[in-house]
């Protein structure tokens, strides 16, 4: 039960507190369970501790000192190659074609909440079903 | 008028009453009109009686005795080859690659309500326009 | 700032006042900023004045005398080739395959609000990132 | 029998004689049967006479005086909304986003023969099956 | 080495001898290694014996007495959920929407050899990489 | 003229001489013009010198000492965000989900020549048209 429950849990990384609260509200309103973090190092730690909890990753790119959102997504994909990934950025959006992972979506800030919900839902709906390798 | 109205009507089959009420609320909140049923045999009867009413089909897989969700979808597609189909399941999700119909979406339970709305909306938006055979 | 802000602004053209109010409410509820118009000539004027404001176009087809929704979309695409375009129509939906622009979506009326939100969000999420020509 | 045979027949419109001969060779080498024309008016006449013969349309854009490739494709799609369409052009490729029909492919000249074969084959493989409206 | 080699091997089932020879020539000319069979029961036996050999399945639908191509594909997908599947048929093509498996392609006979090569190559190129579950 | 000619030129990087000759033959047989290299550093130099020559990039991953194929693709995408990218590998294919760039294709060795032709052609056919940013 706990394994399948993990499928609707999303890990969110955003270092701007106000924006993170907004995103929490939007995603929880859409029915997702969130692990909401403001720091890439903590996020990588959570993913390494147990990535099977997560059905999707949503991350800002520029996260202050330390790893970027590009780094978080690459580390997550090393452990879970089919994990749905949505990036959010303003200034760094143009780097997605070089720094993003395959089958990810880049949302250029500002975006409407519905774009985020549609992005992560679409990727989660397309992700391979466990056992369908 | 009645024919085109049918386009936003969805037939939903789910045998767990509590879950069906939740799904009704989610789908009606998104603006869909629902024919909501708990039994595959009744669903097949409704489809055979007049499938032109329906713009999409959402079905659970394991429906107790009698036909399964796989059976309902196959029968519906025999009558309406372009009908959008979304399956929902926990234990039976792994069988989708063998038992599902083409251009359908499998949602593994539990899923967020937004995933269901995105799944059925995406398929309905891609469905052929009447006359565009 | 004003340039990037423009990305979540949608230009909507619908000549039925009641329906336009409904669409305004649906789209604003999903977090989009709207320029909402009832007339194709005005819409073309707004697009020609500064198309960089708009992240997407949603248009009815039959707009009374003057240009149609097909005309509005073609003019917009001449200026901004990657602009997301969603058409809404009842009687004219069957003409989409001949009159629509590439990578657009046709919603046949009546449709559920969620279909419109999913349609425009999906196209905006797929649109090229500025600089990614 | 004659109806289903029509599915692998392609109508090709290209006004440069040398290039048309090259394209004929490439497409026939890939196993397609061709109706190869150098004139848009003749092409429209053939399509109007019996469009059920054709499984795909490949057209140059700038065809001298008279209708353009854009016009040929629109007329064909009026009669057969699901007809696969591939455009080929140099100078006019940039107009595709405004002038092309939905679900078509634009090949910018020069292109490799394999790109043309892949383009028309992909569209034909995705085209609705007769009866799958 | 033998495991990875299996990726470019295709199992083909076609009961018309002349047509099977043609298909063998087309597919081998495109660089595929073939296990070419005329009987569904034999094909199912080969798949059950060791499905890891195969990178794709191409099957006719109407195969005389015994299992059909629909049955072969369902059995193969039970064992290997991500196996690329291409169906070929004339009379039975219209049943694909109800009887086909997800993410498969239906080629309506007659088709050009390039359509078959493009169909199986596209599906094989999209198939999950081993380990990418 | 020289600019548009560049569209059908592919840069290929493969350090195994025999295999590179095979790939040259396959790609030239499909009508592509090749810049064929065995070294990542040289490839990056060619791309930095004038990336507008290239319509696509095909690269092996493990290229001996120095940069890998992952590095070549990232550098190319920094300069040309829409460049089609195809990776070829045996042992490193499983790393694609973490190390590949968006909208790229991974071919697991061994693959059939037709898979390579279909992969690069499909990506080139989908690439944005110049001016369609």
């Amino acid at each position: 039960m706990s394994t399948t429950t993990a499928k609707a849990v999303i890990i969110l990384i955003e270092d701007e507190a106000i924006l993170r609260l907004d995103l929490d509200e939007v995603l929880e309103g859409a029915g997702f369970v969130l692990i909401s973090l403001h720091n890439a190092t903590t996020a990588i730690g959570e993913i390494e501790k147990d990535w099977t909890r997560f059905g999707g990753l949503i991350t800002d790119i520029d996260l202050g000192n330390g790893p970027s959102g590009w780094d978080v997504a690459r580390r997550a994909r090393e452990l879970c190659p089919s994990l749905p990934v949505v990036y959010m950025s303003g200034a760094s959006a143009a780097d997605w074609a070089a720094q993003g992972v395959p089958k990810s979506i880049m949302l250029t800030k500002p975006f409407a909440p519905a774009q985020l919900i549609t992005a992560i839902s679409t990727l989660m709906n397309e992700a391979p079903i466990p056992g369908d390798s």
Side-chain angles (χ1 to χ4, degrees), chain A:
Chain A
M1 188 69 178
S2 61
T3 303
T4 57
T5 302
K7 283 292 135 187
V9 179
I10 289 174
I11 180 165
L12 169 74
I13 307 113
E14 170 59 67
D15 64 348
E16 297 176 40
I18 306 286
L19 181 51
R20 193 173 62 251
L21 287 174
D22 279 353
L23 295 172
D24 285 358
E25 194 180 320
V26 164
L27 289 160
E28 288 174 352
F32 293 104
V33 178
L34 283 185
I35 305 290
S36 184
L37 305 168
H38 68 279
N39 180 287
T41 304
T42 309
I44 290 174
E46 289 292 329
I47 291 164
E48 292 179 339
K49 194 166 65 187
D50 179 11
W51 58 265
T52 67
R53 284 175 291 171
F54 302 122
L57 167 70
I58 300 175
T59 185
D60 185 28
I61 300 303
D62 304 302
L63 293 164
N65 296 327
S68 67
W70 308 127
D71 298 319
V72 176
R74 279 204 202 102
R75 182 61 185 136
R77 282 286 184 86
E78 285 170 4
L79 296 168
C80 180
S82 63
L83 190 73
V85 171
V86 175
Y87 303 103
M88 310 172 291
S89 189
S92 295
D95 299 331
W96 175 70
Q99 299 300 328
V101 293
K103 301 188 181 182
S104 62
I105 290 177
M106 177 87 235
L107 294 179
T108 303
K109 293 181 186 173
F111 51 83
Q115 289 179 260
L116 177 59
I117 299 302
T118 300
I120 191 67
S121 295
T122 300
L123 292 176
M124 290 175 74
N125 290 352
E126 290 171 352
I129 291 161
D132 175 20
S133 58

